[in-house]
Structures are given as C-alpha cells and as structure tokens.
Amino acid sequence: MDPQIADLVDISQSRTALHAQADMMLERGKWAAEIFQRYDRPSTHAIAEAVARAAHAKAGEYAEWAVRETGFGVAAHKKLKNELTSLPFLDYYREWDFVNPRFDPQSKIVEVPRPAGVIFALLPSTNPISTLNFKSLSALLTRNAIVLSPHPAARECCVDAARHLAKAAEAAGAPDGIIQVVERPVMPLIEEFMRSDKTDVILATGGTAMVRSAYSSSNPAIGVGPGNAPVYVDATADLREAADHIADSKSFDNSILCTNESVLITVEDVEKNLKRELQRAGCHICSAEEVAALRHCLFHERGFNVEMVGRDATWIAERAGFKVAAKTRVLIAPIGLIGVDEPLSKEKLCPVLALFVAQDRRRALGMARAVLRLSGAGHSAAIHCRDPQTILDFGACVEAYRVVVNAPCSQGAAGFATNLAPTFTIGTGFFGRSSVGENVGPQHLVHWTRIALHKEATELAENLSRSSLAYPGPLPAAPSDGVPRTAVGAPPTATLRKVARGDAAKEELREEIRRIIADELRQALGR
C-alpha cells in the first residue's frame, strides 16, 4: 500500500475510534440524564449532599496532588478552594428548587424545570479540582449528567477526583454514568465531544482558544473570557485595609484565579502612604530596573510566559535576576503607561501587580476603564473607597459585570468574600463576547417550560396550582449496548480497536439495541 494512503487509513481509523469513544460516553450520559429526571427533590439533594461530602473529605489530598502535578499554586489555598466548592457551595443553593414546578397565581403561569441533559465540561489546569467540584455539583443539583474533560496538565488528579465523586453519587442512588471523565484528553477527542449532537451544552473554563472553540462547535456553550481586573484605591479608602485585601488577594494561590487584581490604580495624594502600607502587608515595590527585568521575564513575543503561572513572588524575582525578602508575597511594578505598549498592564496569573498613579480621580477611573478595554472586558474590577458616589461612578464606568468594593477581588468576584453567587466560571457577558454576564451556576443548566393559561382562567388556575408532577424514580438497571465498560469513562481499548477496524456487523447490532432501548425509555417516561 502507498505510504500516504496508509497514513490516511490510520488517521481515518483513529478518528473513528475517537468518535466511538465520545459517542459511547455521551450515550451513557444520555441514558443517565433521562433517568435522573425521574428523581424528586429529596433524592436529588441526597445525591448532591453525598458528593459534596466526598469532595470535602479529600479537599486537602487533591490540593496537594494538583500542585504536585501542575507545578504551580499553593496547596493550602487550593485546599480552601476545594472545600468552598463542596459543602459551602451546596449550602448556598440548598433552598433553591430546580426540580419542582413553580406556579405564579398572579400571572397564571406554571414553570416546569427542564434540565439540559448531558453537559460536556472543560476543566482548567489552574483550578482543576475546585472547578471539577463546582461543575459536578451544578450538574447534579439540576439533574443533569456530566462528562468532565481535564486539562492534560492536571489529568491524573482530575481523573481520580472524578472517579471519587462518581462513586459517591452512585452509592447515593444516582444513575450509573451520571459523572464520567475523559481519561486521556487529546484535542481531536475533545472536538468529537464538542461537535456531537448528543452533547446538550458545553461548560467551558480554560484558555481563550478553547472557549472560542466551544462557541464555534455548533452546540450551546457557556464560556468565560480572560480576566484583567483593575483595582482603584481612592483617597477616601482605609489604606491599611485596602493594602491587606490586595496583598491577600494577589498572593492567594499565587494569583492563578482569573479574578485576581492585575493593575492597581491610585492618585498622587495617596501614592506614598499606599506604598508604605503595601510594604507592611508583604509586598515588594520594584525599582525601575527591576520592573524592566520583570517585563522581560513575564512576557515574550508570543505573549505571557506560561512558566510564570502560579509561581511565588520570590521564585519570579529570582528568575528575573533580582532578590527580594523571603517573606515577599507580591511584586509591585510601577508603570507609567496603560495600553498595548505596556505588557505589564495585561493579565498576569502570578503575584505581580502593576501600579499606575493617576493625577486625579477622574483620570484614575478612565485608566481603570482602559485596563479592561485592553483585555478582560466584562470580567471583574475592584475599588477601595468610602464615598458612595465614587463607588457608583466607578461601577458605571468600568466595562465589568462584577465590581468588588472594599474586599479582595480574587475571592470577592468569585462569590467567596461577597454575596455574589459562588462560582469557578465567570460570565463576561456582552462586553466579553459571552452569552452570560453573571457568575455561572446551576441556574444556568436548567431552562423552564412556561405553561401559560388564559388571563381569565381563574378556576383552572386554582386547580392547576394544587397539581404536582409524579417522580417515579429510577429504572431498575442501566441499559446495555453489549459493550463492556470501565467503571468511569471510556470503553476498553480492545473494543475501540474493533470499532476502528470498521466491524460493521457489530456496529449495526449496537445501533439496533440503542433504538430498542430508546423506544423503551420513551414509553416508560411517557414521551
């Protein structure tokens, strides 16, 4: 056989195998989602509670594993994030009802919840386990199935964590396959999942290229944009408190949350005292030579140097060629310009904070707006101020959907130091070219069918308000398509090889069994 033809055959067989793997996992998820929609609210919450407890119990173990595998971040901080996305996250949504119909007697409208179905969830390397916890619980609270796709740099810890949560869910009564994980994520396989018509929604948290790919997949997608949060310290601020919040936030998990402060903006009257408070809080104010060294170290012709992601301040300073005190938490880099010609005014997922001093408040607010227009539009911003009018003016000025006031931005914008909805997927809305501007949560994974009565149908409305849906519970066993599976994830390699060789007879048999199962499900569910 011609070598070029042989290569094309190999590629074709590989794609066939990847398509088969994605199809089988999604088929399994489809069945699990159909069955899960038969569960009532107490059963649903019992499963979510079991998974949240399982996630909380191993928060520390997976935090250390993630740092060990990825090479960045702070294990103690990751443990806290993993804990916050388990039981506290569930507590926030405990009173929300995504299962039972809602009736509004005034409008005579009944709203019936309709889960998305199968969610394909992309996980980042920066916050792998906390995002995995958050997305899994969001899916379970809304009776969806989820297929988790880890970032390759955090694959091992994510695969193990997904298996751990899947086991807890199934032990609590969830359908088999309600949580699955792509054990060996490669781009062609991820594309198969994103393009499949069996994927009902893509929940994308990752780099811009990955999110854009999700949006262009032809399937509904909820994604995020990059962050580049400006933080303005006003003359009316409590400077000591502001410095503490900024240092705590910028050093948290070595600044790998996209909600971290990126550019600190203040006015001339405040500069001297603010710098003193920042130094007290563990920050190092860089000299002009050190700023130049940082600029060269953090950015190259291709953009941000990813080797700097999640590294601590002393490590970065050493790589840049200068030394700082061992207890230094954040490197403060004074800059005289905000724009494309100053890379330090862009997003930096490490504890390096640019500092720009404006002549007055009006110019400071304009510079905060410029930071977000450079990158990070629609994401987050922060202000430290005691003047209500200035706070309101700042919020109306910046193109961000989260403005954190007198609190650390990393935790505040993510809903853990404010009363915003807790999340690890930040919607950037119209400013950031996204469909969602809120903090993404389970409420975005369920839509509602609205049954609207005639305005004068008072008697029928009263009778309808006393009606309720029946939740018959799960079917006794999962369907089998004749393909043996591992506990979580893909079918065995041998099976994939058979499919890749084009075993038409077996594939035809599988399709026939799937059709029979689908017909039985439709009859059982009355659809």
Side-chain angles (χ1 to χ4, degrees), residues 265-442:
I265 300 169
T266 193
V267 291
E268 291 176 349
D269 293 345
V270 174
E271 179 185 4
K272 182 179 178 181
N273 290 336
L274 179 59
K275 283 182 176 178
R276 185 177 65 248
E277 292 295 342
L278 287 167
Q279 287 174 317
R280 178 199 54 79
C283 301
H284 172 81
I285 310 297
C286 296
S287 66
E289 293 76 16
E290 290 168 343
V291 170
L294 275 179
R295 190 181 293 117
H296 178 73
C297 182
L298 263 61
F299 292 90
H300 45 57
E301 63 277 3
R302 297 185 303 280
F304 185 72
N305 181 0
V306 295
E307 290 183 11
M308 301 295 120
V309 172
R311 300 291 188 174
D312 62 54
T314 56
W315 190 94
I316 293 171
E318 184 179 345
R319 291 301 183 280
F322 61 93
K323 290 188 179 295
V324 296
K327 293 184 178 180
T328 299
R329 305 166 69 196
V330 178
L331 302 175
I332 305 291
I335 58 174
L337 173 71
I338 288 175
V340 292
D341 294 327
E342 177 49 86
L344 288 171
S345 62
K346 299 177 182 178
E347 183 181 32
K348 302 167 289 296
L349 294 178
C350 63
V352 175
L353 179 63
L355 169 61
F356 181 89
V357 181
Q359 290 177 306
D360 54 38
R361 180 182 289 169
R362 182 181 64 81
R363 288 181 177 85
L365 267 60
M367 289 299 101
R369 182 179 175 88
V371 169
L372 287 166
R373 289 198 159 187
L374 177 65
S375 64
H379 207 288
S380 307
I383 180 172
H384 293 271
C385 178
R386 298 294 176 186
D387 178 50
Q389 187 60 53
T390 301
I391 293 170
L392 193 60
D393 290 345
F394 180 83
C397 168
V398 294
E399 293 184 342
Y401 292 108
R402 278 147 294 274
V403 175
V404 176
V405 180
N406 298 328
C409 194
S410 287
Q411 299 91 328
F416 298 109
T418 64
N419 289 319
L420 291 173
T423 191
F424 269 81
T425 299
I426 301 288
T428 55
F430 303 138
F431 292 140
R433 313 298 295 167
S434 174
S435 57
V436 177
E438 302 171 281
N439 283 4
V440 175

Side-chain angles (χ1 to χ4, degrees), residues 62-368:
Y62 287 126
E64 292 174 2
W65 192 340
V67 171
R68 189 168 61 249
E69 185 175 358
T70 64
F72 48 72
V74 180
H77 296 170
K78 287 191 183 296
K79 177 177 184 288
L80 179 60
K81 290 192 294 187
N82 295 349
E83 288 173 344
L84 288 171
T85 50
S86 57
L87 290 171
F89 178 79
L90 180 62
D91 287 340
Y92 181 90
Y93 285 104
R94 196 174 292 278
E95 300 306 316
W96 292 51
D97 190 346
F98 302 111
V99 177
N100 292 310
R102 305 185 301 211
F103 179 67
D104 181 3
Q106 202 68 26
S107 64
K108 297 182 177 63
I109 292 177
V110 180
E111 296 178 319
V112 180
R114 310 301 292 271
V118 181
I119 298 162
F120 182 63
L122 296 160
L123 306 176
S125 60
T126 49
N127 305 293
I129 304 302
S130 50
T131 306
L132 183 150
N133 291 346
F134 155 71
K135 291 187 176 182
S136 297
L137 283 171
S138 294
L140 293 175
L141 285 168
T142 46
R143 298 177 299 162
N144 286 297
I146 188 165
V147 177
L148 299 156
S149 180
H151 189 284
R155 183 186 69 84
E156 292 178 6
C157 62
C158 285
V159 168
D160 197 83
R163 288 173 173 166
H164 176 59
L165 298 192
K167 184 178 179 181
E170 291 171 21
D176 170 61
I178 204 67
I179 297 174
Q180 298 180 74
V181 63
V182 181
E183 297 190 2
R184 299 200 174 276
V186 291
M187 199 59 216
L189 177 58
I190 292 169
E191 288 173 350
E192 289 290 342
F193 278 103
M194 290 199 292
R195 287 196 300 259
S196 174
D197 58 6
K198 292 175 182 175
T199 294
D200 293 298
V201 65
I202 302 166
L203 198 51
T205 307
T208 301
M210 181 64 74
V211 172
R212 293 298 175 212
S213 180
Y215 280 142
S216 62
S217 68
S218 80
N219 276 320
I222 300 173
V224 300
N228 193 36
V231 52
Y232 169 54
V233 179
D234 187 62
T236 64
D238 180 327
L239 297 185
R240 176 170 286 251
E241 178 185 82
D244 285 338
H245 283 325
I246 291 168
D248 288 344
S249 177
K250 190 63 180 171
S251 63
F252 183 74
D253 205 12
N254 283 341
S255 197
I256 57 174
L257 280 169
C258 56
T259 50
N260 76 80
E261 293 87 342
S262 186
V263 180
L264 168 58
I265 300 169
T266 193
V267 291
E268 291 176 349
D269 293 345
V270 174
E271 179 185 4
K272 182 179 178 181
N273 290 336
L274 179 59
K275 283 182 176 178
R276 185 177 65 248
E277 292 295 342
L278 287 167
Q279 287 174 317
R280 178 199 54 79
C283 301
H284 172 81
I285 310 297
C286 296
S287 66
E289 293 76 16
E290 290 168 343
V291 170
L294 275 179
R295 190 181 293 117
H296 178 73
C297 182
L298 263 61
F299 292 90
H300 45 57
E301 63 277 3
R302 297 185 303 280
F304 185 72
N305 181 0
V306 295
E307 290 183 11
M308 301 295 120
V309 172
R311 300 291 188 174
D312 62 54
T314 56
W315 190 94
I316 293 171
E318 184 179 345
R319 291 301 183 280
F322 61 93
K323 290 188 179 295
V324 296
K327 293 184 178 180
T328 299
R329 305 166 69 196
V330 178
L331 302 175
I332 305 291
I335 58 174
L337 173 71
I338 288 175
V340 292
D341 294 327
E342 177 49 86
L344 288 171
S345 62
K346 299 177 182 178
E347 183 181 32
K348 302 167 289 296
L349 294 178
C350 63
V352 175
L353 179 63
L355 169 61
F356 181 89
V357 181
Q359 290 177 306
D360 54 38
R361 180 182 289 169
R362 182 181 64 81
R363 288 181 177 85
L365 267 60
M367 289 299 101

Side-chain angles (χ1 to χ4, degrees), residues 451-522:
I451 303 171
L453 304 184
H454 191 283
K455 291 180 178 180
E456 306 301 326
T458 304
E459 184 179 349
L460 179 56
E462 289 177 355
N463 291 333
L464 192 57
S465 68
R466 292 190 289 269
S467 303
S468 61
L469 290 178
Y471 296 100
L475 293 176
S480 171
D481 59 5
V483 180
R485 294 188 177 92
T486 54
V488 179
T493 305
T495 302
L496 293 180
R497 290 198 186 108
K498 289 179 183 178
V499 175
R501 286 198 299 267
D503 193 333
K506 288 191 176 182
E507 186 62 23
E508 199 171 303
L509 176 61
R510 275 194 283 270
E511 286 300 322
E512 181 60 26
I513 293 172
R514 287 184 186 126
R515 282 193 291 271
I516 294 169
I517 292 166
D519 289 341
E520 289 177 349
L521 276 173
R522 278 192 286 270

